[in-house]
Amino acid sequence: MRYRKTALLFLAPFLTVFVAFYLAPVLYAIYLSLFIKKRVGIGPPKEVFGGLTNYFRAVHDTDFLIGLKNMFAFGIVQIPVMLGLAIVLALLLHVSRGLILRFCRTVFVMPYTIPAAIAALIWGYLYSRNLSPFNQMLGLVGRGPIDFISPEIVLFSIGNIVTWSWTGYNMITLFAALQNIPTDLYEAARVDGATELSLVRYIKIPLLIPTLLLLFIFSVIGTSQLFTEAYVLRPLGYVADNITPNMYLYLTAARDANYGYAGALAALLAIVVFPISGFFLRRFTSR
């Protein structure tokens, strides 16, 4: 019992912050989701208990379903591209030495140090139809400007921002994992006649799988939380209200002041993402 009290004492600062700033807001959002706006007599709508009404409405909400569809489409394309680039860069860094290693490591990680809102503003300028240097170069060769924030390609533009920002973080994590692989494995493989490609295929990649799994889970969760880039690009072009679930959820709460429905949307989004993350974690961990 004494040891348990000591452990609780050390855990108390974390548990206090966790309960106050994470668990309590989650429970409060679930509580709000049980209330609906209803007009009773003359006057503004009032909050009344509605049970699961908000949840039934959300599962039939076309805008929310479109946001989920965009989220899945975004993740299916962007996550493999980002992690693939991170693996390639980490492998190249692992065989680099000296000044090249230090320079490339700094340059690749630098985009991650820029806040997401600032990164979106920078790329918003680069995407501008009239100011974009890309469009200016196209004009020099007689091609018309490209609207990078048009409804047809805005998801790809956001994916480019996310990839630019997070590839360096994933790369440095994979590079650290490569550094922890015992060099004895490489020496033994070379004695058996293994080439550099064989080392990558049979030693480096297999031993990176646990780290890749962790980064994949983080990327899935990050995709479900996609908001900042779309919100910053919104004044610069046509970015739909339902481009991501978080954008639609935010506008429902901030613009429409419908906090109960926004709470239901947030709960459903968590219900969708949690099993996906748990499935991959359980499947790869069991392997």
Side-chain angles (χ1 to χ4, degrees), residues 34-85:
L34 300 177
F35 289 84
I36 61 174
K37 282 189 172 184
K38 188 174 183 180
R39 189 176 298 277
V40 181
I42 301 175
K46 296 182 180 180
E47 298 283 345
V48 297
F49 183 77
L52 299 178
T53 302
N54 283 324
Y55 292 91
F56 290 123
R57 175 187 170 187
V59 296
H60 295 94
D61 190 334
T62 305
D63 288 327
F64 181 61
L65 296 178
I66 290 175
L68 288 177
K69 177 184 175 182
N70 290 337
M71 182 188 76
F72 282 113
F74 181 91
I76 290 172
V77 175
Q78 191 270 333
I79 292 177
V81 170
M82 178 179 64
L83 294 182
L85 286 173

Side-chain angles (χ1 to χ4, degrees), residues 73-272:
F74 181 91
I76 290 172
V77 175
Q78 191 270 333
I79 292 177
V81 170
M82 178 179 64
L83 294 182
L85 286 173
I87 293 172
V88 171
L89 293 176
L91 292 173
L92 290 175
L93 279 183
H94 192 240
V95 297
S96 302
R97 295 293 182 271
L99 182 61
I100 295 178
L101 171 62
R102 293 193 293 271
F103 174 77
C104 293
R105 186 169 53 189
T106 302
V107 170
F108 293 152
V109 176
M110 193 174 295
Y112 170 68
T113 64
I114 300 175
I118 304 301
L121 284 174
I122 294 172
W123 280 100
Y125 161 73
L126 296 176
Y127 289 155
S128 172
R129 186 177 179 86
N130 298 320
L131 302 176
S132 171
F134 302 137
N135 283 332
Q136 292 177 10
M137 288 187 289
L138 288 174
L140 294 176
V141 296
R143 301 293 299 274
I146 299 175
D147 188 359
F148 293 100
I149 315 180
S150 65
E152 294 78 14
I153 61 175
V154 65
L155 273 180
F156 291 97
S157 299
I158 294 174
N160 175 66
I161 300 174
V162 175
T163 303
W164 179 80
S165 299
W166 287 92
T167 297
Y169 167 83
N170 293 319
M171 177 216 66
I172 206 67
T173 305
L174 293 169
F175 177 72
L178 286 171
Q179 295 287 85
N180 289 327
I181 298 176
T183 56
D184 296 347
L185 294 177
Y186 302 137
E187 295 173 359
R190 290 190 179 98
V191 169
D192 291 338
T195 63
E196 289 299 323
L197 288 177
S198 298
L199 293 178
V200 171
R201 180 179 178 183
Y202 296 107
I203 296 180
K204 294 182 180 181
I205 296 296
L207 293 179
L208 283 178
I209 288 179
T211 306
L212 273 174
L213 171 63
L214 182 64
L215 294 176
F216 176 80
I217 299 300
F218 286 165
S219 299
V220 170
I221 296 173
T223 299
S224 70
Q225 297 175 346
L226 191 63
F227 171 76
T228 304
E229 292 80 7
Y231 183 76
V232 173
L233 292 178
R234 184 178 171 81
L236 305 178
Y238 180 79
V239 178
D241 295 350
N242 57 1
I243 188 169
T244 66
N246 266 2
M247 174 67 81
Y248 182 59
L249 191 157
Y250 167 79
L251 293 175
T252 301
R255 183 188 62 190
D256 304 336
N258 195 344
Y259 303 109
Y261 188 50
L265 293 174
L268 284 178
L269 182 60
I271 292 172
V272 170

